[in-house]
Amino acid sequence: MFSELAPNYTPSILLLLHRHKLSSWQETQTYNNQNILIMFSRFHALFPLLLLHVLSIRTYKCDSSSSSFSFSSFSSSSSQTLVLPLKTRITPTDHRPTDKLHFHHNVTLTVTLTVGTPPQNISMVIDTGSELSWLRCNRSSNPNPVNNFDPTRSSSYSPIPCSSPTCRTRTRDFLIPASCDSDKLCHATLSYADASSSEGNLAAEIFHFGNSTNDSNLIFGCMGSVSGSDPEEDTKTTGLLGMNRGSLSFISQMGFPKFSYCISGTDDFPGFLLLGDSNFTWLTPLNYTPLIRISTPLPYFDRVAYTVQLTGIKVNGKLLPIPKSVLVPDHTGAGQTMVDSGTQFTFLLGPVYTALRSDFLNRTNGILTVYEEPDFVFQGTMDLCYRISPFRIRTGILHRLPTVSLVFEGAEIAVSGQPLLYRVPHLTVGNDSVYCFTFGNSDLMGMEAYVIGHHHQQNMWIEFDLQRSRIGLAPVQCDVSGQRLGIGS
């Protein structure tokens, strides 16, 4: 699966979330050991829906033994500074107190870049849970062509015929097999856990990163149809950048052997994403857990997801009495555990969710007041909610919550304090706001898997090592790590 990774190409791309105006940087012209910095604007943990677009991108060389940097070029053929604009958008969330709200991703990261010849401006959601990158393509039936990619205006656009090896073999991990349309072009239909979908043709095109151009075309989906639960928001979704282990993902096609990210919980420094090696002497040693690989196709197992083995859940250091058998994928592949930065919260299969919910409820008895609305299920998956006054939030009630630890083979993720609860937008009871437990029930989502969302990955250095098929974890202060890298406040 990783045969396409280039062993001699070891660039690093650093994506930094930042709220304030970027500092100016001194550029130098070097070529080897490239790093690319992408800046994101800050989102608050309690905002209902925030779409983060890349604020800027800078390339520079990183010295792994110190925090010194010098600029270099991302492109092997030129030495240029890469700059990608970033936008922040807050989307209001409708509230229906007695209804089950549809599941959707509250926070997504989108990078703005240019595609085609001549270049066209496009924004794409960055998703480590998806393989194929795609763009919303301009079609005559599309009433809103703004920010869509128009293949008819690009001389470098090349559709993929359904008879090509790319269509016949490299789409093998798609949930819905690729097909042949009436024009004998490779046709793909993609579906997602939030009930959204996209449909169109596979093609090859040149993607431009700032003033630099990728030397080889990237295969992507040119989608004429994108649908979801909110038609108005559907028109604002212009594309997706797939980052999983599939052969057609952006990571695989660009040849990155590993990448890391660190999401901070602070307002002034949200975090960063580093594509490439992170051999920094100051970095806390990582605890590694192997990625699970199953070669045999199974109906409920995503073979190109970042799958690890969940071995247990601890609350305040005590393991819950969960049978090991329910944590292991069964003969159909149901029950895999995926680490997905494209999903906000964490979802557990029914029996495990029930055990954690019951224990957390018991431990918070006398500390928090349960929101007594039997028909309310936040986003259709989270049914344990509390009424909390602003005064109790200010006086630190969240610090009294028990710690929930997700235990894997060789590593664990501990969640405590604010990330355990999420404020429901636009819902108040008297002077109280409503906060929900940020672990959801996968069964209510209709998904036969455990998903570890980015909300529970705050202040963790997480490395995806594709060459060694493992994920490394270490608790860190992401703002401090950013300062070590010479970025942030």
Side-chain angles (χ1 to χ4, degrees):
M1 182 174 295
F2 304 109
S3 60
E4 297 179 4
L5 297 178
N8 296 321
Y9 180 59
T10 58
S12 296
I13 296 183
L14 181 65
L15 290 89
L16 168 68
L17 301 175
H18 201 282
R19 185 174 190 172
H20 306 291
K21 184 173 68 176
L22 297 178
S23 302
S24 59
W25 297 86
Q26 179 68 38
E27 179 180 4
T28 61
Q29 306 297 327
T30 57
Y31 165 64
N32 293 320
N33 301 319
Q34 302 100 318
N35 281 19
I36 296 179
L37 172 67
I38 301 178
M39 309 286 294
F40 287 100
S41 73
R42 170 64 183 164
F43 63 91
H44 194 282
L46 300 182
F47 280 167
L49 177 58
L50 213 52
L51 298 182
L52 302 174
H53 302 252
V54 172
L55 181 57
S56 85
I57 199 170
R58 290 288 189 273
T59 60
Y60 51 88
K61 180 179 178 182
C62 174
D63 182 353
S64 62
S65 63
S66 70
S67 60
S68 62
F69 289 85
S70 62
F71 284 100
S72 65
S73 168
F74 172 63
S75 172
S76 60
S77 59
S78 62
S79 297
Q80 302 174 3
T81 300
L82 305 182
V83 180
L84 300 180
L86 203 203
K87 298 178 182 178
T88 300
R89 177 162 56 91
I90 303 174
T91 303
T93 302
D94 292 336
H95 165 60
R96 290 164 287 177
T98 60
D99 292 343
K100 292 185 178 181
L101 302 182
H102 290 294
F103 166 77
H104 62 277
H105 298 300
N106 281 56
V107 176
T108 55
L109 304 176
T110 72
V111 59
T112 300
L113 59 155
T114 57
V115 179
T117 308
Q120 301 176 40
N121 292 324
I122 293 295
S123 64
M124 303 178 73
V125 175
I126 299 175
D127 187 4
T128 59
S130 297
E131 176 177 1
L132 183 68
S133 300
W134 58 263
L135 299 175
R136 180 195 289 269
C137 287
N138 186 17
R139 294 289 187 266
S140 58
S141 60
N142 191 337
N144 183 24
V146 178
N147 287 331
N148 294 336
F149 175 68
D150 186 351
T152 64
R153 291 170 46 204
S154 175
S155 60
S156 53
Y157 176 81
S158 178
I160 303 295
C162 54
S163 59
S164 71
T166 294
C167 187
R168 289 187 285 107
T169 62
R170 296 182 69 185
T171 61
R172 62 186 177 274
D173 292 314
F174 290 7
L175 294 178
I176 301 174
S179 59
C180 196
D181 69 7
S182 58
D183 295 324
K184 296 185 178 179
L185 298 179
C186 190
H187 187 83
T189 300
L190 307 177
S191 60
Y192 302 96
D194 61 357
S196 64
S197 64
S198 62
E199 185 175 355
N201 296 116
L202 262 62
E205 183 57 283
I206 296 176
F207 282 64
H208 309 263
F209 298 87
N211 295 322
S212 178
T213 301
N214 177 36
D215 290 334
S216 55
N217 289 354
L218 289 180
I219 297 169
F220 75 107
C222 190
M223 303 310 199
S225 173
V226 179
S227 62
S229 59
D230 188 338
E232 181 179 351
E233 288 305 306
D234 293 342
T235 63
K236 300 174 184 177
T237 302
T238 58
L240 181 144
L241 199 64
M243 301 278 283
N244 72 8
R245 298 195 291 169
S247 67
L248 289 179
S249 74
F250 172 78
I251 290 294
S252 296
Q253 291 192 66
M254 292 297 290
F256 292 106
K258 65 172 64 173
F259 66 93
S260 308
Y261 58 70
C262 195
I263 303 170
S264 175
T266 62
D267 289 338
D268 56 348
F269 186 80
F272 53 85
L273 169 64
L274 178 70
L275 302 181
D277 286 320
S278 55
N279 299 321
F280 307 112
T281 56
W282 48 261
L283 180 61
T284 302
L286 304 180
N287 294 316
Y288 288 94
T289 186
L291 289 169
I292 305 299
R293 308 187 68 164
I294 296 179
S295 58
T296 303
L298 298 175
Y300 295 107
F301 192 89
D302 185 348
R303 293 186 296 167
V304 292
Y306 296 108
T307 301
V308 295
Q309 182 56 64
L310 181 66
T311 61
I313 296 179
K314 295 188 296 186
V315 182
N316 276 354
K318 182 180 179 181
L319 276 171
L320 297 179
I322 300 172
K324 297 292 185 183
S325 59
V326 303
L327 300 175
V328 179
D330 63 18
H331 66 283
T332 69
Q336 74 180 116
T337 300
M338 298 179 284
V339 180
D340 182 13
S341 67
T343 298
Q344 185 174 10
F345 301 115
T346 294
F347 300 96
L348 309 172
L349 290 180
V352 177
Y353 170 77
T354 299
L356 175 59
R357 181 190 188 281
S358 177
D359 191 272
F360 191 86
L361 181 61
N362 289 336
R363 290 177 183 269
T364 54
N365 184 31
I367 300 176
L368 299 176
T369 301
V370 175
Y371 176 50
E372 300 287 356
E373 179 58 62
D375 294 328
F376 179 74
V377 182
F378 180 53
Q379 293 195 2
T381 62
M382 290 173 274
D383 62 357
L384 178 57
C385 302
Y386 300 92
R387 295 174 50 179
I388 308 177
S389 68
F391 173 77
R392 301 202 75 196
I393 293 293
R394 291 194 302 269
T395 54
I397 189 65
L398 298 182
H399 297 295
R400 297 177 57 190
L401 300 179
T403 298
V404 176
S405 299
L406 303 170
V407 184
F408 310 101
E409 181 182 336
E412 68 177 62
I413 294 177
V415 183
S416 60
Q418 180 174 302
L420 288 167
L421 297 179
Y422 185 84
R423 183 173 178 265
V424 178
H426 315 304
L427 177 58
T428 57
V429 181
N431 294 324
D432 297 341
S433 295
V434 175
Y435 290 77
C436 291
F437 189 41
T438 51
F439 290 81
N441 190 340
S442 292
D443 292 0
L444 297 180
M445 246 171 81
M447 184 174 64
E448 298 291 331
Y450 302 92
V451 180
I452 312 301
H454 66 71
H455 190 76
H456 293 153
Q457 300 174 33
Q458 294 183 26
N459 286 315
M460 293 287 298
W461 188 289
I462 303 181
E463 177 188 271
F464 296 78
D465 187 343
L466 307 183
Q467 284 186 324
R468 297 187 180 183
S469 192
R470 62 183 185 172
I471 290 180
L473 304 171
V476 297
Q477 290 298 316
C478 296
D479 54 347
V480 174
S481 294
Q483 292 174 18
R484 294 270 194 172
L485 292 171
I487 54 180
S489 58

